Amino acid sequence: MMISLILLSFLVLVCAYAPLKSSEVKLIVSNQQLDLLDPQNTKGYLEPILKIRTPGSEGAAEVRSHFKQFFESLDSQWNVEFDNFTDDTPTLKNVSFTNVIATRYPPGSTEGSVERLILAAHYDSKIEPQGFLGAIDSAFSCALMMYVVKQLDDMLTIKWKDNPDSQKGLQIVLLDGEEAFKEWSETDSIYGARHLASKWESEKYHDSSNKSKLDSIGLFVLMDLLGASNPSISSFYQHTDWAHINLRSLEKSLRKQKVTKTKRSQRSWFARPGRYFLAGQLGDDHLPFLEKGVPILHLIPLPFPEVWHTITDDGDHLDRDAIHDWALIMTVFTAEYMELTGYMGIDFDNTDL
Ligand SMILES: *[C@@H]1O[C@H](CO)[C@@H](O)[C@H](O)[C@H]1NC(C)=O
Ligand SMILES: *[C@@H]1O[C@H](CO)[C@@H](O)[C@H](O)[C@H]1NC(C)=O
Ligand SMILES: *[C@@H]1O[C@H](CO)[C@@H](O)[C@H](O)[C@H]1NC(C)=O
């Protein structure tokens, strides 16, 4: 019942999406800095997240500083906001939660008129088992988003210099309190996502568009449990199938160019056909946004990786090849969504060198 109502409320979106030229993909490949995603590199993006970071903990505050410092270290202007709130959980009352939201809009745009791509993941770690570090769950996804931003930030600058009133912005959403305190239920899970979705629903832009901060989301990409080998990721929503199809086809093209670690002969990470019967069935941070009509692309492998919710979900159990390929796939996908082709700072007289 609830599910069918949700599906009816979606608008049909016409999404502009522009594939990169192979010379541009080559540029991305040659710019790769995979040491930033090395779980042992203390100066990288991932290692500082691999600590206990349960809601309200000191570790969580340190991880937020790590995010903030990262966005402040970029040459361009990112707006970093903290969405702080408190909530009661089954085991603890009045717990402090903080979502971190980093946004970059074209310089000449008015906020309400810009459709934004959201890359989202949760940064909190699970309370049990004791010592749990949550590398796939979801430290790697957080670091991956930072990596994509770092790779594409200058290209956005180039594009927006020529097109200051572009209609697409990029937003990174790092959610707190995804994990249950006691046992997963509607009220004991996704604390941060529930708070942010209702906050954005009530916040309107101060312009004539009368849009809420939910209306202006072009695509909400939720990443969870990534970083293990050979994931199989289904398309769960018909209205965002186009994005899943694009991921599958760019993966195919990257494999063909032999720039991935995964071989061309291996099965695609992006499984077809769609499994729409699972729409809204997987409990995760996308649900409160989905219920309010936001277009969702849920990048989560099924089955879940073996280390899921066990003490072995640590840096040593991330798969190096998967890290490599995710870095490439998500950088290219984001560049294509943001329509960066032609704005990557290379000469295009000979397009397919
Ligand atoms: C919200 O949380 C951030 C990060 O922990 C903190 O720096 C900031 O002071 C908090 N803001 C408010 C209004 O409490
Ligand atoms: C909950 O915590 C906040 C700060 O973390 C505090 O300002 C507030 O008074 C607390 N509320 C209750 C009911 O304890
Ligand atoms: C703005 O949108 C709300 C519903 O979201 C509607 O009730 C209201 O009439 C709209 N206002 C204008 C000025 O269009």
Side-chain angles (χ1 to χ4, degrees):
M1 182 60 181
M2 186 181 76
I3 305 299
S4 55
L5 287 177
I6 289 166
L7 290 177
L8 281 176
S9 70
F10 287 122
L11 297 172
V12 177
L13 291 169
V14 181
C15 293
Y17 181 94
L20 297 184
K21 300 183 175 74
S22 65
S23 54
E24 294 170 321
V25 169
K26 278 183 192 135
L27 181 76
I28 286 181
V29 171
S30 67
N31 282 349
Q32 274 183 306
Q33 285 177 276
L34 285 159
D35 57 312
L36 293 171
L37 294 174
D38 178 340
Q40 262 136 37
N41 177 6
T42 55
K43 296 193 161 46
Y45 299 153
L46 178 55
E47 193 276 346
I49 309 175
L50 291 172
K51 57 175 69 171
I52 293 169
R53 52 191 188 282
T54 53
S57 66
E58 206 170 299
E62 288 165 11
V63 170
R64 285 192 296 274
S65 305
H66 170 60
F67 296 146
K68 188 166 190 283
Q69 279 166 20
F70 164 75
F71 286 103
E72 286 173 355
S73 76
L74 299 168
D75 291 334
S76 65
Q77 204 59 47
W78 282 79
N79 178 32
V80 180
E81 294 164 89
F82 293 107
D83 170 31
N84 306 358
F85 66 101
T86 58
D87 203 345
D88 292 340
T89 74
T91 51
L92 292 166
K93 300 280 172 232
N94 203 31
V95 177
S96 296
F97 296 90
T98 302
N99 298 315
V100 182
I101 301 133
T103 317
R104 188 173 174 204
Y105 282 130
S109 62
T110 46
E111 263 195 37
S113 67
V114 177
E115 165 200 303
R116 68 196 189 279
L117 170 65
I118 292 182
L119 303 180
H122 75 88
Y123 74 88
D124 63 305
S125 63
K126 200 171 177 296
I127 296 169
E128 299 280 343
Q130 215 181 7
F132 181 77
L133 295 179
I136 59 156
D137 196 6
S138 266
F140 172 66
S141 295
C142 296
L144 177 61
M145 302 191 304
M146 297 165 82
Y147 181 88
V148 169
V149 165
K150 177 71 180 169
Q151 291 278 300
L152 299 181
D153 200 40
D154 289 348
M155 294 160 187
L156 285 170
T157 305
I158 297 171
K159 167 147 184 157
W160 290 345
K161 195 158 167 264
D162 285 356
N163 306 272
D165 53 358
S166 282
Q167 301 298 303
K168 281 183 186 176
L170 182 58
Q171 187 167 62
I172 306 301
V173 173
L174 298 139
L175 294 161
D176 200 1
E178 187 261 356
E179 303 286 5
F181 278 65
K182 198 166 170 211
E183 195 179 340
W184 189 282
S185 72
E186 263 180 49
T187 50
D188 185 18
S189 66
I190 59 169
Y191 293 89
R194 286 187 280 129
H195 182 264
L196 189 63
S198 33
K199 181 171 126 104
W200 277 350
E201 186 177 35
S202 66
E203 285 178 358
K204 300 253 174 176
Y205 293 109
H206 302 294
D207 61 19
S208 58
S209 72
N210 197 30
K211 276 188 181 170
S212 78
K213 292 196 173 170
L214 286 183
D215 297 330
S216 49
I217 301 173
L219 182 66
F220 187 108
V221 181
L222 177 65
M223 290 175 259
D224 202 0
L225 306 183
L226 305 184
S229 64
N230 298 318
S232 177
I233 293 171
S234 293
S235 174
F236 302 113
Y237 302 100
Q238 230 148 355
H239 63 286
T240 57
D241 218 29
W242 64 270
H244 190 269
I245 290 168
N246 279 315
L247 278 165
R248 187 175 159 109
S249 100
L250 78 85
E251 176 201 47
K252 188 174 174 187
S253 140
L254 293 171
R255 286 184 182 184
K256 198 171 151 196
Q257 292 178 65
K258 297 198 169 68
V259 292
T260 54
K261 298 281 185 194
T262 316
K263 300 271 184 305
R264 205 174 164 182
S265 56
Q266 284 176 253
R267 66 153 173 72
S268 170
W269 286 4
F270 302 96
R272 307 291 306 176
R275 297 167 88 183
Y276 313 123
F277 59 95
L278 287 174
Q281 301 295 312
L282 295 170
D284 209 344
D285 283 322
H286 63 306
L287 290 179
F289 296 91
L290 177 75
E291 285 161 11
K292 296 177 197 304
V294 173
I296 306 291
L297 177 67
H298 194 190
L299 300 181
I300 189 167
L302 286 181
F304 294 167
E306 266 171 41
V307 297
W308 176 67
H309 282 188
T310 71
I311 195 69
T312 51
D313 180 7
D314 56 20
D316 293 341
H317 288 82
L318 289 170
D319 184 78
R320 301 303 158 116
D321 291 354
I323 290 177
H324 175 281
D325 288 4
W326 274 121
L328 196 53
I329 288 171
M330 290 313 293
T331 303
V332 173
F333 176 80
T334 306
E336 296 189 341
Y337 187 99
M338 299 306 291
E339 300 173 283
L340 295 181
T341 181
Y343 297 99
M344 299 184 61
I346 49 177
D347 189 356
F348 288 100
D349 286 345
N350 293 307
T351 39
D352 281 341
L353 301 170

